[in-house]
Amino acid sequence: MKGYAMLRIGESGWIEKETPKCGPLDAIVKPLAVAICTSDVHTLWEGALGDRHDMILGHEASGEVVEVGSEVKDFKPGDRVLVPAITPDWNSLEAQAGYSMHSGGMLAGWKFSNFKDGVFSEYFHVNDADGNLALMPEGMDPADACILSDMVPTGFHAVELADVQFGDVVLVIGIGPVGLMSVAGAALRGASRIIAVGTRPVCIEAAKGYGATDFVSYKNGPIDEQVMELTGGKGVDRVCIAGGTVETFEPAIKALKAGGKIGNVNYLGSGDYINIPRVEWGVGMGHKDIRGGLMPGGRLRMEKLASLVSSGRLDLHPEVTHAFHGWDHLEEALFLMRDKPADLIKPVVVI
Ligand code: NDP
Ligand code: ZN
């Protein structure tokens, strides 16, 4: 089969590989649509996961089951499925402890294009099919279904980590496709005000649609100072971080009220330490929590998140700004995600 692979750091291309084998609990899936992620950019051009040779890229897809293992109960060939980016081993001790995304070691629930070939290929392998796949709701657009792989669960996870409550004032730092889902998630959780940080006009428009009420540009001076001005010096109850760098925690803590919580899902690609401003962290006693996490995967979560789309509570169309048709456009879509033109939120390739 053909797959689009990372050949080494900074180099990619189409290669031939053997079609993956299906174990007793597994499924082999043919993509219906795939999406490009900022994480693919980090993996390929920044070596975020270390060097990988001839590893097929991609972890966001919707697909059709072509084969299932002898022990798989709930899926059969021909089923159209949602595929989470994170596919844990559900019988692991980490999963039993409530952290399935770390099954087999920290971050090891992330298997596609990390420990095994990803989804940018004619066929891909899904471990623990009953635990990880979900049926695609009737009538769902396969391109929208890709957004459920990673953007929705990750953006929403920042909201869960920040523990957003009714009436909270929430700061969302970063409004790319992930942060937009944090805006949407915070609105669904009952935030009274959502202050969004980003500059791309297309993202600002989409954020307004998802419920952002105020905007701050990180290019116009320190984020915390702008937030303090907007909130009359009070600060915010919660911060979701979906963009920025190790430096971003400093304004996040400064903008946060005592007793506030920060939920980070942003990948921190450089710098050895995160600076926590001592005084604004309440000299160690401010009850300002900092939590960071890889998105949870699994079937139950996929089904629940998909139900928000089916019921009309969550519209994923604004996320997909660039839809291509056919594998021939995959490389173009990948390069687009690297270059992030002003009109881009998320590129999807429908197969
Ligand atoms: P994008 O690059 O599309 O968006 C990043 C956002 O952050 C943009 O709004 C950008 O603003 C803003 N930003 C850039 N620099 C700064 C800064 N210095 N301070 C504040 N804001 C800034 O990324 P994605 O939405 O695709 O992904 C976000 C992150 O989430 C990535 O690091 C990705 O790897 C990570 N991720 C994490 C996952 C997890 O499970 N934890 C899963 C998937 C992704 P502008 O409008 O100017 O571009
Ligand atoms: Zn992703």
Side-chain angles (χ1 to χ4, degrees), residues 191-257:
S192 61
R193 192 175 180 189
I194 300 172
I195 304 171
V197 181
T199 66
R200 275 178 279 160
V202 66
C203 297
I204 290 173
E205 274 317 300
K208 280 183 194 160
Y210 283 124
T213 51
D214 303 82
F215 291 88
V216 158
S217 166
Y218 59 95
K219 294 178 181 167
N220 288 350
I223 294 169
D224 53 290
E225 288 177 15
Q226 299 180 65
V227 169
M228 283 305 176
E229 204 174 306
L230 280 171
T231 57
K234 289 191 177 138
V236 299
D237 300 294
R238 301 289 190 261
V239 183
C240 299
I241 303 184
T245 66
V246 287
E247 312 288 336
T248 304
F249 290 80
E250 188 173 333
I253 287 164
K254 287 181 173 171
L256 194 61
K257 290 180 191 168

Side-chain angles (χ1 to χ4, degrees), residues 36-40 42 59-60 85-86 110 150-151 153-155 157 161 172-180 197-201 203-204 217-219 223 241-245 247-248 251 264-269 292-296 337 340 344-346:
I36 320 290
C37 184
T38 302
S39 302
D40 294 312
H42 294 316
H59 54 267
E60 299 182 13
I86 305 302
W110 178 7
D150 191 359
M151 299 300 94
T154 297
H157 195 43
L161 291 170
V172 177
I173 303 181
I175 47 169
V178 173
L180 284 172
V197 181
T199 66
R200 275 178 279 160
C203 297
I204 290 173
S217 166
Y218 59 95
K219 294 178 181 167
I223 294 169
I241 303 184
T245 66
E247 312 288 336
T248 304
N264 175 74
V265 290
N266 190 33
Y267 159 76
L268 301 173
L294 182 66
M295 66 158 257
M337 199 57 172
K340 300 246 159 94
L344 179 86
I345 299 180
K346 192 84 174 170

Side-chain angles (χ1 to χ4, degrees), residues 86-95 99-111 115 127:
I86 305 302
T87 51
D89 297 312
W90 288 95
N91 60 0
S92 65
L93 293 179
E94 293 87 353
Y99 291 94
S100 58
M101 63 293 272
H102 303 300
S103 66
M106 190 159 64
L107 309 181
W110 178 7
K111 296 179 193 299
F115 296 116
N127 59 293

